[in-house]
Amino acid sequence: MSTNCEFVLLMHSDEIFKPTNTGRLIADILPGQTHVFCWSRTEPAEDLLALLNDERRRCVLVFPTEAATTASKPHEVIYTLPEDGKITTFILLDGTWKQSGRMFHLSRWLDAVPCVQLPDVLVRGYAVRKSHQEHYLSTAEAAGLCLQMAREPCVADALIDYFQLFNLHYLATRATQPPIIGELHLRMLNYR
């Protein structure tokens, strides 16, 4: 699929080969609009910095705004995305919730990037890792909300369906059973 917005997956090194990682689902659905970088506290990739400074882009950091506004250096919060011709580029911190918090607070080179307030409309469905906080989402769930906010509902639906399929297959694998093939599989076939 394709979309008018793009994603930057800023991956914690522990997350790269985890079977529970949902960031890769975004790259599967949107390979042409997904950029992946390994996080570094002090030495971010030059390509990443160039992307962040590209004047044709509106880069926004996806992180709970409660934390963003109370950080030692508060981030600006964006509630709606203007339609001004810029490429909206969502930066997703891809790691556990604890790792993502650490990435957010220690990445001084992200201080000038505003945070986005995501719509609160998605039913949380991450069956593999459980969160103790209501605003903590998997990377794929957060990307689905970003797509809704960017007025890309068809792509958002495809990503959320793919995420649910991932959960179904992962849990079946853990139970050493084949997944039950159903309506979700048929819907995924229609996205081609």
Side-chain angles (χ1 to χ4, degrees), residues 22 62-68 70 93 95-102 104-105 117-120 122-127 129-143 145 163:
T22 66
V62 179
F63 198 75
T65 54
E66 300 82 20
T70 59
L93 304 177
T96 64
W97 297 285
K98 185 175 183 179
Q99 290 166 343
S100 295
R102 187 170 184 265
F104 175 79
H105 291 290
Q117 172 71 48
L118 294 176
D120 194 20
L122 185 69
V123 176
R124 297 180 63 233
Y126 195 24
R129 295 183 200 167
K130 294 297 179 190
S131 160
H132 301 293
Q133 298 290 330
E134 200 56 35
H135 60 274
Y136 287 3
L137 303 169
S138 73
T139 305
E141 286 174 309
L145 287 174
F163 169 69

Side-chain angles (χ1 to χ4, degrees), residues 119-122 142-153 156-157 160:
D120 194 20
V121 296
L122 185 69
L145 287 174
C146 291
L147 288 163
Q148 288 176 359
M149 186 176 197
R151 297 171 282 287
E152 298 276 1
D157 290 346
I160 295 306

Side-chain angles (χ1 to χ4, degrees), residues 13-61:
S13 60
D14 291 348
E15 198 69 17
I16 295 171
F17 296 110
K18 265 189 191 167
T20 55
N21 176 273
T22 66
R24 65 174 171 242
L25 303 178
I26 303 161
D28 285 349
I29 294 287
L30 297 166
Q33 287 84 33
T34 305
H35 310 272
V36 182
F37 298 95
C38 196
W39 174 72
S40 171
R41 180 179 66 83
T42 58
E43 298 178 20
E46 287 183 30
D47 290 349
L48 172 60
L49 294 177
L51 196 139
L52 293 174
N53 292 312
D54 184 346
E55 293 189 12
R56 297 170 297 162
R57 297 179 181 277
R58 174 185 313 93
C59 294
V60 292
L61 188 56

